[in-house]
Amino acid sequence: MSAGQLPRWADLGLIPLLNLTAAFLVSGLVVLIIGENPIEVVQILLWGSLGFGEGIGFTLFYATNFIFTGLAVAVAFHAGLFNIGGEGQAYVGGLGVAAACLLLDRIVPWWVTLPFVILGSAAAGAAWAFIPAWLQAKRGSHVVITTIMFNFIAASMMVYLLVNVIGKEGSMQPETRTFEDGGRLPMLNDIFPFFDFGTAPVNLSLLLALLSAFGVWLLIWRTRLGYAIRTLGANATAAVYAGISPARIIIITMMISGGLAGMMAINEIMGSQHRLLIEFVSGYGFVGIAVALMGRGHPVGIVLAAILFGMLYQGGAELAFEIPAVTRDMILVIQGLVILFAGALEYMFRPTLVRIFTFARTPASSVPAAAK
Amino acid sequence: MFDIFFSYPTFDSMARLATPLLFACLAGLYSERSGVVDIGLEGKMLGAAFGAASVAFLTANAWLGLLAGIVVAVSLSLLHGFASITNRGNQIVSGVAINFLAAGLTALLGQAWFGQGGRTPSLPAGGRFLEITLPFAEEMASVPFIGRFYAEFLSGHSILVYGAFLAVPLTWWVLFRTRFGLRLRAVGESPAAVDTAGISVTFLRYRAVIICGILCGFAGAYLAIAQSSGFIKDMTAGKGFIALAALIFAKWKPVNAMLACLLFGYLDAVAIRMQGQSIPGIGEVPVQVFQALPYVLTVILLAGFIGKAIPPKASGIPYLKERT
């Protein structure tokens, strides 16, 4: 299976497109099995997610979460690490957000709170990623398994903390008190009054997410550290000979990854809920895996994939409303299929394509991004 | 207080709670011993639970339900095999995909077919594996110690519970006393050597993955049609991952697997009984401590602080026969 038999655009554009098409075709098949019309489903999905201001607002709100968790998975991928712990890291990141907001929200305006929130969430997420990272780097415990375990440990810990320690007194709900104005990010509606996002909670964190995406691009492709990360991911042995310390890079990369996942909590907690509550992550950390795979680890791809998944989440909500048989669980199915086809079966179509291209003579000129 | 930790009801529920873990753990054992990492145990169990409950409801036959559970889990296993053995895809990614697919499809199809918010209707008579009273249990109950142990602990479980514990020596025998087992272990350590000996790596791994599916089918069926009476959305609730933790905790050995599952089942049983209770001298221990303990213990073990957990050497690495 020698590489380079396919033109670059086919490898980077055509294969992902084929994989996605396969995922969506099978999703359509599932819809057919339930006895609904896939075309109608797609129409409702598109209309529900892009057809009106509030829909777009919700799409972007969800996309903000997915950009953070997608970047988190992608950064680790570049170092050859699989961080399945985004879910737990984001959950614990909520602690950092809540700590900053609860301490500051009554004294200072939001823009003073924000830097502390960013710091707090990233630090909390990074701290939660540190132990699995350290275990992988120093003791060789597989990071996939430890991060899975840490998701469950985080879930138990957060329930305990919210019920027994930081929860609002006298309340049956496991949640903190609601933040005052100093702990609330402005909605995009208030910053850009000419957009009408209705009641959608899309907020300033979207810009923060886009900045983070740019930051990740800078980090991975334009810095020394990024080079070390990519070297380690491509060939760990070569990295050692190049004077890179794998243990150090593993720990740093995982902490950056955890920090990014932790920042997802800013959008949910400071941007929308305005209080720390139980299970606010609700699977967004796992969506990051699909987003990172679909975006092929590149920030631009991740932003696009995050928007697509945002559309699925928002459109899926409309869909469950319009066609009760297609519940929101459909999103899980699509997510699974995207991970399957874009991830595990990534190279399924490659041998066939190679055959077709060798047969039809490889076109000499490369057309960048001809497909999508 | 003492009753919570040491009493027949606690031990009874330990055995019951350990059963699905044990099936899933042994399932993972076959797969991982052959070199195929499987974090999709959770999804396979969930799919099997749904298949078992649906068919048991429609046919009012628990055995057909079990069969359906096995069929679902084996299909998912074959998907995992197709991705990770045939296509040499990333096994972790494939496992994650299977977990999502199962979570989504069971809820979606459940709602479409039965319209009860993703659960299946309560099972009719005959659709469930009931508790079996072993012979002479009542007569033995009056005999001190051994009799009580027999009547209160050994007797009165569903047939699947006995099946799970019988599967342990069977697995040991298959893995360590048969030719197939030897090859299976070899292919997990050094597939190239197995290939050189003229044995198909692909076929061996597929067989391992299919056995994994069958055992996951038992695990799921136990949850849906023995422990409870029907399928509930997300009813595995992380049991597949606890089983995975148990597998690591057991260092990929069958008898250890049983002990690990019993330990985790015991923690679960105690956690249920500890709610609102306080231990003298320590005070009230939060339930969450018991819930998190299996994971914490596994991480500590993985860290190499209690022995060292070394996975089969070739696990997670797709086998490439030759370079073309």
Side-chain angles (χ1 to χ4, degrees), chain A residues 157-178:
Chain A
M157 184 184 81
M158 292 296 282
V159 173
Y160 172 75
L161 288 178
L162 278 168
V163 172
N164 302 36
V165 184
I166 51 172
K168 191 165 59 179
E169 272 180 51
S171 161
M172 294 307 283
Q173 298 294 329
E175 58 186 36
T176 63
R177 72 169 168 85
T178 307

Side-chain angles (χ1 to χ4, degrees), chain A residues 8-355:
Chain A
R8 207 172 127 78
W9 67 267
D11 246 344
L12 292 182
L14 192 56
I15 287 189
L17 192 71
L18 277 177
N19 290 336
L20 272 192
T21 313
F24 284 112
L25 281 181
V26 178
S27 308
L29 214 63
V30 172
V31 174
L32 271 180
I33 291 173
I34 303 173
E36 300 293 339
N37 180 357
I39 310 280
E40 199 190 334
V41 164
V42 172
Q43 278 169 345
I44 296 174
L45 264 180
L46 285 177
W47 179 81
S49 56
L50 299 177
F52 55 103
E54 194 169 84
I56 298 176
F58 270 103
T59 298
L60 291 175
F61 170 70
Y62 292 123
T64 309
N65 286 338
F66 303 149
I67 295 175
F68 281 122
T69 54
L71 288 173
V73 176
V75 166
F77 262 156
H78 282 290
L81 298 164
F82 199 161
N83 178 12
I84 304 198
E87 191 78 8
Q89 288 143 14
Y91 207 172
V92 177
L95 275 185
V97 177
C101 287
L102 288 173
L103 288 175
L104 297 171
D105 67 335
R106 285 177 174 156
I107 350 176
V108 291
W110 65 268
W111 47 269
V112 181
T113 317
L114 184 60
F116 292 97
V117 165
I118 296 176
L119 215 67
S121 60
W128 203 247
F130 171 75
I131 308 171
W134 183 83
L135 289 174
Q136 167 81 61
K138 300 285 183 188
R139 323 269 322 183
S141 331
H142 206 298
V143 77
V144 169
I145 306 292
T146 44
T147 49
I148 291 177
M149 302 294 135
F150 267 73
N151 284 340
F152 287 101
I153 299 173
S156 293
M157 184 184 81
M158 292 296 282
V159 173
Y160 172 75
L161 288 178
L162 278 168
V163 172
N164 302 36
V165 184
I166 51 172
K168 191 165 59 179
E169 272 180 51
S171 161
M172 294 307 283
Q173 298 294 329
E175 58 186 36
T176 63
R177 72 169 168 85
T178 307
F179 308 148
E180 308 288 329
D181 284 345
R184 298 180 181 200
L185 280 180
M187 298 291 157
L188 281 196
N189 253 350
D190 302 332
I191 311 174
F192 307 108
F194 41 92
F195 285 132
D196 180 21
F197 291 125
T199 59
V202 55
N203 57 72
L204 199 70
S205 335
L206 176 62
L207 301 182
L208 193 63
L210 294 174
L211 271 179
S212 308
F214 179 69
V216 166
W217 174 80
L218 268 185
L219 168 77
I220 298 290
W221 281 281
R222 288 292 180 275
T223 66
R224 231 181 147 80
L225 176 64
Y227 182 73
I229 291 175
R230 281 183 293 132
T231 312
L232 181 71
N235 188 334
T237 324
V240 173
Y241 282 103
I244 295 165
S245 152
R248 190 169 154 264
I249 300 298
I250 287 173
I251 293 179
I252 293 175
T253 311
M254 277 300 286
M255 287 180 74
I256 295 172
S257 171
L260 284 165
M263 282 167 74
M264 189 220 96
I266 302 175
N267 187 39
E268 279 288 330
I269 300 300
M270 193 184 181
S272 163
Q273 301 282 357
H274 304 136
R275 66 209 146 94
L276 182 61
L277 68 172
I278 220 159
E279 278 169 14
F280 71 88
V281 188
S282 60
Y284 300 141
F286 291 119
V287 182
I289 300 169
V291 169
L293 284 170
M294 205 163 139
R296 312 210 100 206
H298 194 284
V300 174
I302 288 169
V303 170
L304 292 176
I307 292 173
L308 185 74
F309 268 96
M311 287 168 63
L312 284 176
Y313 264 68
Q314 163 55 15
E318 290 292 324
L319 196 58
F321 191 66
E322 299 280 330
I323 311 178
V326 185
T327 57
R328 295 199 71 171
D329 305 296
M330 188 66 213
I331 303 168
L332 282 179
V333 177
I334 299 179
Q335 210 172 304
L337 289 168
V338 166
I339 297 177
L340 186 71
F341 283 101
L345 293 173
E346 198 179 358
Y347 300 114
M348 186 167 66
F349 297 114
R350 203 166 188 279
T352 323
L353 272 186
V354 169
R355 230 170 291 143

Side-chain angles (χ1 to χ4, degrees), chain B residues 270-318:
Chain B
V270 170
I272 296 166
R273 287 169 170 72
M274 280 295 288
Q275 251 151 347
Q277 302 272 353
S278 63
I279 301 176
I282 302 175
E284 195 172 322
V285 179
V287 197
Q288 288 83 20
V289 169
F290 289 95
Q291 284 167 352
L293 210 52
Y295 306 111
V296 175
L297 285 176
T298 306
V299 170
I300 294 174
L301 177 88
L302 270 172
F305 294 125
I306 353 171
K308 187 123 180 83
I310 302 162
K313 209 170 171 188
S315 66
I317 310 160

Side-chain angles (χ1 to χ4, degrees), chain B residues 196 229 244 272:
Chain B
T196 314
S229 178
L244 196 68
I272 296 166

Side-chain angles (χ1 to χ4, degrees), chain B residues 41-228:
Chain B
L41 293 173
E42 172 89 1
K44 278 179 235 174
M45 262 165 99
L46 193 64
F50 178 70
S54 306
V55 171
F57 166 70
L58 294 173
T59 62
N61 186 331
W63 292 101
L64 286 178
L66 174 64
L67 190 71
I70 291 174
V71 169
V72 173
V74 170
S75 320
L76 289 173
S77 273
L78 288 174
L79 182 64
H80 185 52
F82 177 69
S84 55
I85 305 170
T86 306
N87 278 286
R88 293 193 290 273
N90 186 317
Q91 299 170 4
I92 307 279
V93 175
S94 165
V96 171
I98 283 170
N99 288 338
F100 277 120
L101 272 180
L105 279 176
T106 51
L108 193 64
L109 294 178
Q111 171 64 19
W113 290 344
F114 304 109
Q116 299 191 359
R119 43 165 75 221
T120 61
S122 202
L123 297 176
R128 220 183 135 186
F129 288 106
L130 298 173
E131 280 93 40
I132 307 170
T133 310
L134 293 183
F136 310 115
E138 279 181 27
E139 290 83 339
M140 294 274 283
S142 54
V143 180
F145 201 69
I146 299 176
R148 272 197 73 193
F149 180 76
Y150 181 78
E152 293 203 24
F153 180 66
L154 288 185
S155 172
H157 296 288
S158 95
I159 188 158
L160 294 181
V161 176
Y162 301 111
F165 287 90
L166 283 179
V168 176
L170 187 70
T171 299
W172 176 84
W173 182 78
V174 168
L175 279 180
F176 297 98
R177 286 294 178 272
T178 67
R179 177 181 299 195
F180 169 69
L182 177 67
R183 290 174 176 179
L184 189 86
R185 283 180 293 131
V187 86
E189 298 289 336
S190 171
V194 173
D195 199 15
T196 314
I199 302 158
S200 163
V201 172
T202 309
F203 184 43
L204 257 174
R205 287 193 168 165
Y206 263 107
R207 276 181 288 174
V209 163
I210 288 170
I211 298 174
C212 168
I214 294 172
L215 286 166
C216 280
F218 276 96
Y222 176 79
L223 285 178
I225 64 175
Q227 202 172 42
S228 16

